[in-house]
Amino acid sequence: TIDTAIMLGLPIGQYDADKLVNLGLNRWFGRIAFPVKYHFGVFSRGYMKSFELIPSVWLFDENDDFLGQKLENDPLWQVEAHLTSDFTPSFWGSLDLLYRGGFQSEVNGVEVGEELDIGNLGFTLNYQVNDNLCIRTGFSSNDIGDSSRENSMIRLQFVYGWHNDNENNKKLLGH
């Protein structure tokens, strides 16, 4: 499958030009992505394997009131990839890659800091407890690109999802 995904961030929320950190951004931003997914073998729950590739670009408007100055950022280029496999109908895992580059910042036309050049390798494990709840864990570490930006992350998530269609389907099936 080949898709297109578009995300748009609006400059809403409180913004205080005198503070470095704000919940509001005082600028528009967006992401354009082209996810590609290729399935190997059987396309049935518990047997699926896939390769996913998601190239994308993040675009940022200028912030004309960043601590009384103008902040601009170059596009942020991103590539995400996953090699996934079902182990059972309710347990799957993936090997993950995330690379980000670009995003050079300028304040009043003067470059500040360095461009991003960072990539993370890791894995994800997901267990579907029931129709509504899953437990997801994973690990990733910066192993590609700029070694001065070293980071590692261990993640544990409890995801609860509910949708009317799922609940109606359970009623129809007598669960």
Side-chain angles (χ1 to χ4, degrees), residues 129-162:
V129 177
N130 58 37
D131 290 340
N132 301 99
L133 178 67
C134 76
I135 300 171
R136 185 175 300 148
T137 187
F139 173 80
S140 67
S141 182
N142 172 0
D143 295 315
I144 302 168
D146 189 350
S147 62
S148 69
R149 300 172 199 246
E150 290 184 28
N151 68 69
S152 294
M153 178 175 64
I154 297 173
R155 181 178 64 234
L156 177 63
Q157 298 171 302
F158 295 89
V159 181
Y160 182 83
W162 181 88

Side-chain angles (χ1 to χ4, degrees), residues 1-3 34-43 47-55 79-86 92-99 120-122:
T1 61
I2 300 173
D3 295 306
F34 299 98
V36 177
K37 187 173 190 179
Y38 179 79
H39 290 276
F40 302 96
V42 179
F43 187 70
Y47 300 97
M48 290 191 278
K49 293 174 181 27
S50 67
F51 175 70
E52 303 166 9
L53 181 67
I54 308 157
V79 176
E80 189 173 345
H82 306 279
L83 186 59
T84 70
S85 178
D86 286 358
W92 61 263
S94 70
L95 297 175
D96 309 315
L97 166 89
L98 174 62
Y99 176 79
N120 291 64
L121 295 173

